[in-house]
PDB file of all heavy atoms in Angstrom:
ATOM      1  N   CYS A1603      -6.866  -5.514   2.922  1.00 98.00           N
ATOM      2  CA  CYS A1603      -6.889  -4.648   1.724  1.00 98.00           C
ATOM      3  C   CYS A1603      -7.602  -5.338   0.565  1.00 98.00           C
ATOM      4  O   CYS A1603      -8.387  -4.704  -0.156  1.00 98.00           O
ATOM      5  CB  CYS A1603      -5.465  -4.250   1.333  1.00 98.00           C
ATOM      6  SG  CYS A1603      -4.728  -3.075   2.497  1.00 98.00           S
ATOM      7  N   VAL A1604      -7.348  -6.628   0.379  1.00 98.00           N
ATOM      8  CA  VAL A1604      -8.010  -7.372  -0.702  1.00 98.00           C
ATOM      9  C   VAL A1604      -9.526  -7.300  -0.508  1.00 98.00           C
ATOM     10  O   VAL A1604     -10.282  -7.024  -1.443  1.00 98.00           O
ATOM     11  CB  VAL A1604      -7.521  -8.835  -0.754  1.00 98.00           C
ATOM     12  CG1 VAL A1604      -8.415  -9.676  -1.658  1.00 98.00           C
ATOM     13  CG2 VAL A1604      -6.064  -8.898  -1.232  1.00 98.00           C
ATOM     14  N   GLU A1605      -9.939  -7.508   0.738  1.00 98.00           N
ATOM     15  CA  GLU A1605     -11.373  -7.477   1.061  1.00 98.00           C
ATOM     16  C   GLU A1605     -12.001  -6.123   0.720  1.00 98.00           C
ATOM     17  O   GLU A1605     -13.176  -6.043   0.356  1.00 98.00           O
ATOM     18  CB  GLU A1605     -11.504  -7.737   2.571  1.00 98.00           C
ATOM     19  CG  GLU A1605     -12.835  -8.191   3.061  1.00 98.00           C
ATOM     20  CD  GLU A1605     -12.764  -8.470   4.570  1.00 98.00           C
ATOM     21  OE1 GLU A1605     -11.817  -9.168   5.014  1.00 98.00           O
ATOM     22  OE2 GLU A1605     -13.640  -7.960   5.289  1.00 98.00           O
ATOM     23  N   ARG A1606     -11.197  -5.059   0.826  1.00 98.00           N
ATOM     24  CA  ARG A1606     -11.704  -3.696   0.568  1.00 98.00           C
ATOM     25  C   ARG A1606     -11.314  -3.162  -0.808  1.00 98.00           C
ATOM     26  O   ARG A1606     -11.443  -1.972  -1.076  1.00 98.00           O
ATOM     27  CB  ARG A1606     -11.195  -2.761   1.671  1.00 98.00           C
ATOM     28  CG  ARG A1606     -11.841  -3.074   3.007  1.00 98.00           C
ATOM     29  CD  ARG A1606     -11.111  -2.440   4.185  1.00 98.00           C
ATOM     30  NE  ARG A1606     -11.806  -2.757   5.433  1.00 98.00           N
ATOM     31  CZ  ARG A1606     -11.709  -3.936   6.069  1.00 98.00           C
ATOM     32  NH1 ARG A1606     -10.920  -4.888   5.597  1.00 98.00           N
ATOM     33  NH2 ARG A1606     -12.388  -4.158   7.178  1.00 98.00           N
ATOM     34  N   HIS A1607     -10.791  -4.048  -1.657  1.00 98.00           N
ATOM     35  CA  HIS A1607     -10.381  -3.665  -3.025  1.00 98.00           C
ATOM     36  C   HIS A1607      -9.324  -2.565  -3.035  1.00 98.00           C
ATOM     37  O   HIS A1607      -9.344  -1.682  -3.900  1.00 98.00           O
ATOM     38  CB  HIS A1607     -11.597  -3.270  -3.872  1.00 98.00           C
ATOM     39  CG  HIS A1607     -12.679  -4.296  -3.833  1.00 98.00           C
ATOM     40  ND1 HIS A1607     -12.565  -5.508  -4.479  1.00 98.00           N
ATOM     41  CD2 HIS A1607     -13.866  -4.339  -3.180  1.00 98.00           C
ATOM     42  CE1 HIS A1607     -13.633  -6.230  -4.236  1.00 98.00           C
ATOM     43  NE2 HIS A1607     -14.446  -5.550  -3.441  1.00 98.00           N
ATOM     44  N   ILE A1608      -8.430  -2.598  -2.059  1.00 98.00           N
ATOM     45  CA  ILE A1608      -7.326  -1.644  -2.000  1.00 98.00           C
ATOM     46  C   ILE A1608      -6.067  -2.356  -2.503  1.00 98.00           C
ATOM     47  O   ILE A1608      -5.639  -3.357  -1.907  1.00 98.00           O
ATOM     48  CB  ILE A1608      -7.115  -1.157  -0.537  1.00 98.00           C
ATOM     49  CG1 ILE A1608      -8.326  -0.327  -0.060  1.00 98.00           C
ATOM     50  CG2 ILE A1608      -5.816  -0.372  -0.384  1.00 98.00           C
ATOM     51  CD1 ILE A1608      -8.507   1.004  -0.756  1.00 98.00           C
ATOM     52  N   PRO A1609      -5.458  -1.873  -3.604  1.00 98.00           N
ATOM     53  CA  PRO A1609      -4.232  -2.526  -4.091  1.00 98.00           C
ATOM     54  C   PRO A1609      -3.072  -2.320  -3.108  1.00 98.00           C
ATOM     55  O   PRO A1609      -2.980  -1.262  -2.482  1.00 98.00           O
ATOM     56  CB  PRO A1609      -3.930  -1.806  -5.414  1.00 98.00           C
ATOM     57  CG  PRO A1609      -4.984  -0.793  -5.624  1.00 98.00           C
ATOM     58  CD  PRO A1609      -5.874  -0.735  -4.421  1.00 98.00           C
ATOM     59  N   VAL A1610      -2.214  -3.306  -2.996  1.00 98.00           N
ATOM     60  CA  VAL A1610      -1.026  -3.168  -2.144  1.00 98.00           C
ATOM     61  C   VAL A1610       0.233  -3.484  -2.953  1.00 98.00           C
ATOM     62  O   VAL A1610       0.166  -4.097  -4.015  1.00 98.00           O
ATOM     63  CB  VAL A1610      -1.082  -4.074  -0.890  1.00 98.00           C
ATOM     64  CG1 VAL A1610      -2.329  -3.796  -0.083  1.00 98.00           C
ATOM     65  CG2 VAL A1610      -0.977  -5.556  -1.244  1.00 98.00           C
ATOM     66  N   TRP A1611       1.356  -3.023  -2.429  1.00 98.00           N
ATOM     67  CA  TRP A1611       2.652  -3.347  -3.025  1.00 98.00           C
ATOM     68  C   TRP A1611       3.664  -3.497  -1.913  1.00 98.00           C
ATOM     69  O   TRP A1611       3.456  -3.015  -0.796  1.00 98.00           O
ATOM     70  CB  TRP A1611       3.075  -2.303  -4.065  1.00 98.00           C
ATOM     71  CG  TRP A1611       3.119  -0.875  -3.620  1.00 98.00           C
ATOM     72  CD1 TRP A1611       2.054  -0.037  -3.466  1.00 98.00           C
ATOM     73  CD2 TRP A1611       4.289  -0.129  -3.270  1.00 98.00           C
ATOM     74  NE1 TRP A1611       2.500   1.194  -3.056  1.00 98.00           N
ATOM     75  CE2 TRP A1611       3.852   1.170  -2.927  1.00 98.00           C
ATOM     76  CE3 TRP A1611       5.655  -0.419  -3.232  1.00 98.00           C
ATOM     77  CZ2 TRP A1611       4.745   2.185  -2.550  1.00 98.00           C
ATOM     78  CZ3 TRP A1611       6.531   0.585  -2.861  1.00 98.00           C
ATOM     79  CH2 TRP A1611       6.078   1.866  -2.521  1.00 98.00           C
ATOM     80  N   CYS A1612       4.748  -4.183  -2.215  1.00 98.00           N
ATOM     81  CA  CYS A1612       5.750  -4.497  -1.194  1.00 98.00           C
ATOM     82  C   CYS A1612       6.847  -3.444  -1.195  1.00 98.00           C
ATOM     83  O   CYS A1612       7.525  -3.243  -2.205  1.00 98.00           O
ATOM     84  CB  CYS A1612       6.328  -5.888  -1.458  1.00 98.00           C
ATOM     85  SG  CYS A1612       7.483  -6.415  -0.180  1.00 98.00           S
ATOM     86  N   GLY A1613       7.010  -2.770  -0.067  1.00 98.00           N
ATOM     87  CA  GLY A1613       8.059  -1.760   0.070  1.00 98.00           C
ATOM     88  C   GLY A1613       9.415  -2.415   0.262  1.00 98.00           C
ATOM     89  O   GLY A1613       9.537  -3.638   0.307  1.00 98.00           O
ATOM     90  N   GLY A1614      10.418  -1.577   0.377  1.00 98.00           N
ATOM     91  CA  GLY A1614      11.771  -2.086   0.578  1.00 98.00           C
ATOM     92  C   GLY A1614      12.498  -1.259   1.619  1.00 98.00           C
ATOM     93  O   GLY A1614      12.194  -0.075   1.803  1.00 98.00           O
ATOM     94  N   MET A1615      13.420  -1.886   2.321  1.00 98.00           N
ATOM     95  CA  MET A1615      14.209  -1.197   3.341  1.00 98.00           C
ATOM     96  C   MET A1615      15.700  -1.499   3.142  1.00 98.00           C
ATOM     97  O   MET A1615      16.431  -1.659   4.111  1.00 98.00           O
ATOM     98  CB  MET A1615      13.740  -1.625   4.737  1.00 98.00           C
ATOM     99  CG  MET A1615      12.316  -1.170   5.072  1.00 98.00           C
ATOM    100  SD  MET A1615      12.182   0.610   5.345  1.00 98.00           S
ATOM    101  CE  MET A1615      12.791   0.742   7.017  1.00 98.00           C
ATOM    102  N   LEU A1616      16.113  -1.580   1.876  1.00 98.00           N
ATOM    103  CA  LEU A1616      17.514  -1.860   1.558  1.00 98.00           C
ATOM    104  C   LEU A1616      17.935  -3.196   2.185  1.00 98.00           C
ATOM    105  O   LEU A1616      19.019  -3.320   2.771  1.00 98.00           O
ATOM    106  CB  LEU A1616      18.432  -0.719   2.033  1.00 98.00           C
ATOM    107  CG  LEU A1616      18.427   0.588   1.241  1.00 98.00           C
ATOM    108  CD1 LEU A1616      17.075   1.225   1.101  1.00 98.00           C
ATOM    109  CD2 LEU A1616      19.418   1.594   1.828  1.00 98.00           C
ATOM    110  N   GLU A1617      17.071  -4.185   2.053  1.00 98.00           N
ATOM    111  CA  GLU A1617      17.308  -5.485   2.670  1.00 98.00           C
ATOM    112  C   GLU A1617      18.501  -6.221   2.059  1.00 98.00           C
ATOM    113  O   GLU A1617      18.806  -6.061   0.881  1.00 98.00           O
ATOM    114  CB  GLU A1617      16.070  -6.388   2.510  1.00 98.00           C
ATOM    115  CG  GLU A1617      14.904  -6.058   3.427  1.00 98.00           C
ATOM    116  CD  GLU A1617      13.950  -5.011   2.857  1.00 98.00           C
ATOM    117  OE1 GLU A1617      14.269  -4.418   1.803  1.00 98.00           O
ATOM    118  OE2 GLU A1617      12.889  -4.784   3.477  1.00 98.00           O
TER     119      GLU A1617
END
Side-chain angles (χ1 to χ4, degrees):
C1603 289
V1604 168
E1605 199 177 312
R1606 291 165 179 78
H1607 309 288
I1608 293 292
V1610 304
W1611 55 282
C1612 184
M1615 294 289 281
L1616 286 56
E1617 284 88 352

